[in-house]
Amino acid sequence: MNIPEVVKTIGPIHGALFLLYLFLTLGAATEYSWKGIIISKVLLASLIPFGTFYVDQKILKPIHEKEGNI
């Protein structure tokens, strides 16, 4: 869209949120003792637009319901 001011503002915010997601994912993986495949799926979903919503509903929610964490 050729609006460099927006990129200068939104770019760092987007990057910070992405890093926060990565750190929170690794923290949750440690706390809940996720297997490597779950960690891989959650991290891969962060690269696909709206993939995190899919992983939350289809993978993480059933795990937490089974363990009684919800």
Side-chain angles (χ1 to χ4, degrees), residues 14 38 40 44 61:
H14 182 267
I38 300 295
S40 299
L44 179 64
K61 187 175 180 181

Side-chain angles (χ1 to χ4, degrees), residues 1-64:
M1 292 175 36
N2 202 19
I3 309 172
E5 299 83 21
V6 173
V7 173
K8 285 183 181 180
T9 304
I10 301 298
I13 295 170
H14 182 267
L17 290 173
F18 180 73
L19 290 174
L20 179 64
Y21 180 82
L22 294 179
F23 290 131
L24 291 175
T25 297
L26 295 176
T30 302
E31 182 176 340
Y32 294 114
S33 301
W34 290 347
K35 295 180 182 177
I37 190 72
I38 300 295
I39 298 168
S40 299
K41 288 179 181 180
V42 172
L43 292 176
L44 179 64
S46 70
L47 302 175
I48 301 168
F50 303 106
T52 55
F53 296 108
Y54 176 81
V55 166
D56 187 43
Q57 288 297 312
K58 300 295 182 183
I59 297 173
L60 299 179
K61 187 175 180 181
I63 290 173
H64 291 297

